[in-house]
Amino acid sequence: MLDNNQLLRFTTAGSVDDGKSTLIGRLLYDSKSIFEDQLQAIENTSKKKGHNGVDLALFTDGLRDEREQGITIDVAYRYFTTPKRKFIIADTPGHIQYTRNMVTGASTANAAIILVDARHGVIEQTRRHSFIASLLQIPHVIVCINKMDLVDYSEEAYNKVIEQFEEFSSKMLVKDVRFIPISALLGDNVVNRSKNMDWYQGAPLLHTLETMHISSDINKVDARFPVQTVLRPQRDGFIDYRGYAGRVASGVLRKGDEVTVMPSGFTSKIKSIDTLEGEHDEAFAPMSVAITLEDDIDISRGDMIVRSNNKPEASQDLEVMLCWLHNDAAKPRAKYTIKHTSNEQKAMIKEVIYKYDINTLERNMHDKDLGMNDISKVKIRTTKPLMVDSYRENRTTGSIILVDDATNETVAAGMIV
Amino acid sequence: MSKYYLNYLDELESEAIFVLREVWAQFENPVILFSGGKDSILVTHLAKKAFYPAKIPFPLMHVDTGHNFPETIQFRDDIIKELGVQLIVGSVQESIDEGRVAEERGKNATRNALQITTLLDAIETNKIDCAIGGGRRDEEKARAKERFFSHRDDFGQWDPKNQRPELWNIFNGKHFEGEHFRAFPISNWTEMDVWNYIKRENIAIPSLYFAHEREVVWRQDSWIPNSEFLVLEDHEEIVTKKIRFRTLGDITITGGIESDADTLEKIADEVSGMRQTERGNRSDDKRSESAMEDRKRQGYF
């Protein structure tokens, strides 16, 4: 592998029988990422179950319950590497009751693969998966029209799905959508170009994933540095050292930059950017570094260092797209802990503005209950200001989670509007 | 292409440092679980980076089965001295002597499962609220479902079907007294990534990872090293082979492979051509299809 190879994270969504597991199995198998002992185990199970040949889908089975029921319950992560890139797959279940897992997998993804069965075309689940991809602002969406072998590799069938997809996706905010006709079962256009679809001029799936431009997926304009912890070595050579440790959330910070510490508003200049390797002239997202400032200012976890000429909004009133993730429904006007970057405050859901009907994608202005898997637009009030950007502009400083203090469970995830 | 992007190893490193700093900020009394294997050495190296120029602010904890490779213990003591951090040892032998656990019987008896009790006892006695481990999701199918911050109830048990969702990079380490967390900073690394990084950073690792002439016996499809704990079967014989180990566990169950790889470059080359997973040589994982899941549910690493 070359030294400048990047890491691409993608998520896969599909309905129960769209062939998602087979596709992942195929990607791993054809890119030679499945080891012999794993293959041996799958062959044994395939035989036991009476399948013809090796059932690649079995490769993604994880927990015992999943193997028994033949379904995916939780997000599972898979890895493979090609000479061009390293890939992390967030393999998420497609059933409606697992919307929360899809949201989880989508939250860190550069790309989403949405599977559509060529025989059935766009169905309710396709709409739901695409909606979640657009809500979570996944920068790239690849619609794989699967099971082309079952429609005689017909170009018409492929075009029909594209037409259906574009009809409803025009209302959504997905920047980059591509379509690829594949057969995960037989391998057409997954790793290798299909010999059965001369009419398709585009690249196979793996080549698309390998060459997609992802450097601009992270916001490189607005410099944001949430402080995780303060480093005070108090040892020889570093007696007065006070370093602010964190990972650059977005943008670029340079030595000598005029910075403001939020929420206090104190200003200073960046004196040094340090790592074990030594001093750096600049740090960009997503680098983990320690920053020292020219002036002694009281800074602690939860504060944010930003460039003085480009600040986020400090606000106690947030409008948030909220996805409810827990079995216990939201309690009206209950207090929750809100976590935002390294900051943590108390918060209250003041108002539910509307709730999405996840099937029709229409806004319901009357049903205001927040239950498991519900996606709603809400107003949240926090006890102290959070330093926020809109999620559309900044995935890191625009996202929050809510934690129920009575159970410590993560109950909701939100995108700041 | 913009110059403002990280290559995959730098991105994995930055992610791990972020996780380690979150652990330090969110917990009162975390430790690094240190086995002397390459993954826990890597985590320790990353912790050094995460807190530089301060030293690693938490102890290393070793669960000592008593069935160690002598090289591992030497390596552990050297690294403790170099870093100037505290070492906590949980001893399986003590757990046996105190009657907390009983030795397994039979031909393939190991102390592997016994570690669970010792580990959980050490966590409780030392009031540890987060144990940082070198577990990776590519290792095994149950581990593929692990979170970065993984909750354990007050019996130390993992409930894989009711895990807290983990979104973006916001980790929720909130817990009640008696409960603890496991944190996995190198979740997203593969075996190949680990070797490429160790090579790049030139990180010191025990000599066991490099090919040497060793006395071994062929058992369960791999080369088990000779040791004071080895009981030979009738048909078995000890031979000398050039062997190295891909993972280090108990000396009684860790199988080696025949290899000529005696430098980090050669190891990385060898691993990239491997067609077997690294845990394929661990007899503890061969017991059943859900061997790892079952142990993890009970509180295993």
Side-chain angles (χ1 to χ4, degrees):
Chain A
M1 245 180 125
L2 297 171
D3 279 347
N4 58 2
N5 284 1
Q6 285 174 291
L7 174 59
L8 184 139
R9 300 169 202 251
F10 68 93
T11 176
T12 52
S15 313
V16 182
D17 296 316
D18 279 343
K20 181 168 61 75
S21 299
T22 310
L23 175 67
I24 293 172
R26 173 59 67 185
L27 269 174
L28 298 172
Y29 184 73
D30 282 0
S31 64
K32 300 188 171 47
S33 314
I34 296 184
F35 293 103
E36 274 169 12
D37 47 333
Q38 292 171 313
L39 194 59
Q40 190 62 49
I42 298 167
E43 274 172 12
N44 292 344
T45 314
S46 300
K47 260 185 226 149
K48 247 191 270 173
K49 290 193 170 175
H51 293 297
N52 286 328
V54 180
D55 183 357
L56 290 175
L58 292 173
F59 183 71
T60 58
D61 282 356
L63 304 169
R64 195 184 316 118
D65 291 343
E66 296 176 333
R67 285 195 298 280
E68 281 162 13
Q69 297 172 38
I71 54 162
T72 320
I73 293 167
D74 200 351
V75 188
Y77 295 88
R78 321 273 168 206
Y79 302 83
F80 71 103
T81 300
T82 71
K84 296 205 176 85
R85 259 180 193 163
K86 172 186 166 86
F87 296 95
I88 301 178
I89 312 175
D91 178 13
T92 65
H95 329 266
I96 182 160
Q97 65 266 41
Y98 296 121
T99 297
R100 70 171 212 163
N101 292 325
M102 220 178 312
V103 171
T104 303
S107 71
T108 49
N110 301 94
I113 294 179
I114 295 174
L115 275 158
V116 179
D117 187 324
R119 296 169 302 174
H120 309 315
V122 167
I123 56 171
E124 230 170 73
Q125 298 236 37
T126 318
R127 276 196 284 272
R128 195 160 59 231
H129 298 152
S130 313
F131 175 66
I132 288 168
S134 81
L135 198 68
L136 273 291
Q137 292 281 301
I138 300 180
H140 314 275
V141 170
I142 304 169
V143 181
C144 284
I145 297 140
N146 191 22
K147 307 198 182 181
M148 289 300 292
D149 52 311
L150 299 182
V151 294
D152 296 325
Y153 298 106
S154 141
E155 188 177 4
E156 286 78 47
Y158 168 76
N159 284 332
K160 199 173 141 213
V161 174
I162 296 182
E163 205 177 295
Q164 288 173 342
F165 191 91
E166 286 179 337
E167 199 181 295
F168 82 87
S169 70
S170 59
K171 288 176 233 149
M172 295 178 191
L173 277 163
V174 192
K175 290 166 215 155
D176 172 25
V177 188
R178 305 156 198 235
F179 300 91
I180 305 177
I182 66 166
S183 165
L185 188 68
L186 303 176
D188 294 87
N189 284 336
V190 179
V191 171
N192 303 311
R193 173 169 287 283
S194 170
K195 293 190 180 74
N196 300 309
M197 291 177 273
D198 291 339
W199 47 264
Y200 173 70
Q201 302 298 316
L205 176 62
L206 184 64
H207 182 80
T208 306
L209 290 168
E210 283 179 326
T211 53
M212 177 176 275
H213 180 73
I214 53 169
S215 298
S216 23
D217 290 356
I218 299 181
N219 177 329
K220 293 286 160 58
V221 179
D222 309 310
R224 304 282 185 262
F225 188 78
V227 174
Q228 284 184 276
T229 184
V230 183
L231 301 174
R232 304 217 53 189
Q234 292 170 314
R235 63 178 171 93
D236 283 355
F238 297 96
I239 294 295
D240 294 322
Y241 188 92
R242 220 183 143 79
Y244 305 106
R247 181 156 64 158
V248 184
S250 57
V252 186
L253 286 162
R254 294 186 182 83
K255 198 174 161 173
D257 272 356
E258 296 244 6
V259 292
T260 299
V261 180
M262 297 186 74
S264 70
F266 287 121
T267 57
S268 185
K269 271 188 183 164
I270 294 181
K271 184 174 163 192
S272 70
I273 298 171
D274 304 326
T275 67
L276 180 66
E277 281 70 43
E279 276 200 35
H280 301 251
D281 290 333
E282 57 184 17
F284 54 88
M287 280 170 74
S288 285
V289 296
I291 286 178
T292 64
L293 299 181
E294 296 282 0
D295 307 278
D296 249 342
I297 306 175
D298 182 25
I299 300 177
S300 53
R301 177 173 168 85
D303 291 348
M304 196 184 283
I305 298 173
V306 302
R307 266 216 301 277
S308 299
N309 59 7
N310 176 340
K311 291 185 234 170
E313 189 191 349
S315 174
Q316 280 177 267
D317 290 291
L318 310 171
E319 279 200 5
V320 173
M321 253 334 156
L322 198 70
C323 180
W324 201 259
L325 307 169
H326 204 265
N327 268 323
D328 300 340
K331 294 166 284 242
R333 300 190 70 81
K335 284 199 188 68
Y336 293 96
T337 293
I338 187 167
K339 285 175 78 86
H340 169 259
T341 67
S342 56
N343 200 349
E344 193 179 303
Q345 303 294 344
K346 297 289 175 211
M348 191 169 62
I349 302 168
K350 278 179 66 186
E351 186 190 336
V352 177
I353 304 169
Y354 58 80
K355 178 156 112 182
Y356 274 108
D357 180 322
I358 196 77
N359 296 318
T360 61
L361 303 184
E362 278 169 10
R363 296 169 183 189
N364 185 331
M365 313 302 283
H366 307 293
D367 180 0
K368 307 261 163 126
D369 295 333
L370 301 180
M372 175 76 124
N373 294 320
D374 282 344
I375 295 172
S376 315
K377 191 173 182 183
V378 302
K379 285 187 180 169
I380 289 177
R381 168 94 182 163
T382 62
T383 46
K384 285 187 182 153
L386 300 180
M387 287 67 75
V388 300
D389 295 290
S390 76
Y391 185 78
R392 191 175 300 168
E393 276 159 27
N394 200 320
R395 271 173 121 180
T396 308
T397 56
S399 51
I400 58 114
I401 62 167
L402 295 183
V403 177
D404 185 341
D405 292 331
T407 61
N408 288 333
E409 296 288 332
T410 302
V411 293
M415 283 114 339
I416 295 161
V417 181
Chain B
M1 196 183 271
S2 141
K3 66 169 174 158
Y4 293 117
Y5 73 91
L6 295 179
N7 75 26
Y8 75 106
L9 282 180
D10 288 328
E11 187 166 341
L12 291 173
E13 178 195 76
S14 176
E15 178 179 83
I17 289 173
F18 177 81
V19 175
L20 285 159
R21 288 167 170 175
E22 280 304 294
V23 170
W24 174 236
Q26 293 196 34
F27 294 93
E28 295 285 321
N29 197 14
V31 293
I32 293 178
L33 293 174
F34 189 84
S35 69
K38 66 180 189 313
D39 298 315
S40 61
I41 292 169
L42 170 60
V43 169
T44 307
H45 178 81
L46 291 162
K48 208 160 100 182
K49 291 199 172 198
F51 301 101
Y52 175 85
K55 65 177 189 185
I56 298 176
F58 30 73
L60 305 193
M61 185 162 98
H62 180 220
V63 176
D64 181 354
T65 61
H67 289 174
N68 301 296
F69 287 95
E71 290 99 321
T72 312
I73 297 297
Q74 185 60 49
F75 190 90
R76 177 196 80 185
D77 294 343
D78 290 347
I79 209 168
I80 289 292
K81 215 165 140 192
E82 183 209 316
L83 297 172
V85 296
Q86 189 202 341
L87 173 70
I88 298 172
V89 178
S91 159
V92 173
Q93 187 60 53
E94 275 174 29
S95 303
I96 294 169
D97 296 345
E98 288 163 7
R100 300 273 298 132
V101 289
E103 291 262 27
E104 278 186 10
R105 288 154 196 263
K107 182 173 105 171
N108 290 316
T110 83
R111 287 184 163 182
N112 194 284
L114 309 190
Q115 294 179 87
I116 299 173
T117 302
T118 309
L119 171 66
L120 295 178
D121 284 354
I123 285 174
E124 199 179 319
T125 320
N126 295 285
K127 295 195 166 35
I128 289 155
D129 54 358
C130 183
I132 305 162
R136 310 189 319 264
R137 290 169 178 158
D138 81 317
E139 279 180 274
E140 204 280 334
K141 51 188 178 266
R143 287 203 163 147
K145 314 243 152 169
E146 269 291 8
R147 306 293 194 255
F148 281 100
F149 273 30
S150 184
H151 180 258
R152 296 291 184 276
D153 66 17
D154 49 358
F155 292 97
Q157 298 185 83
W158 182 52
D159 183 3
K161 277 205 294 181
N162 283 310
Q163 300 193 75
R164 292 181 187 174
E166 207 161 69
L167 295 104
W168 301 288
N169 301 300
I170 312 177
F171 301 135
N172 173 8
K174 289 189 183 294
H175 58 281
F176 295 108
E177 197 160 339
E179 300 176 344
H180 74 278
F181 267 75
R182 302 289 169 87
F184 301 104
I186 59 166
S187 287
N188 279 330
W189 300 51
T190 62
E191 185 190 14
M192 198 63 241
D193 298 333
V194 171
W195 283 115
N196 281 332
Y197 186 82
I198 287 175
K199 188 175 75 171
R200 186 184 90 172
E201 304 273 308
N202 201 18
I203 301 171
I205 50 170
S207 57
L208 298 157
Y209 284 110
F210 300 97
H212 282 296
E213 301 262 319
R214 288 174 215 278
E215 287 189 348
V216 286
V217 60
W218 184 248
R219 184 181 284 180
Q220 283 202 321
D221 297 329
S222 61
W223 293 106
I224 300 288
N226 188 15
S227 71
E228 55 181 309
F229 311 106
L230 188 76
V231 181
L232 281 187
E233 300 278 308
D234 284 345
H235 61 280
E236 290 176 338
E237 68 173 317
I238 288 173
V239 291
T240 301
K241 292 270 173 192
K242 202 165 183 195
I243 294 289
R244 68 173 208 88
F245 298 93
R246 283 177 81 186
T247 67
L248 295 184
D250 249 22
I251 195 164
T252 56
I253 53 163
T254 304
I257 50 166
E258 284 190 72
S259 166
D260 286 319
D262 51 10
T263 63
L264 286 175
E265 281 75 21
K266 286 187 198 165
I267 293 173
D269 278 352
E270 188 184 272
V271 171
S272 73
M274 292 274 185
R275 299 309 305 146
Q276 297 272 334
T277 58
E278 55 183 337
R279 296 196 80 91
N281 288 310
R282 293 277 284 260
S283 64
D284 44 334
D285 291 333
K286 287 185 180 169
R287 290 192 170 180
S288 82
E289 201 171 5
S290 51
M292 174 68 94
E293 182 183 339
D294 294 340
R295 276 179 294 153
K296 274 185 71 69
R297 279 175 184 270
Q298 292 165 31
Y300 191 70
F301 305 102

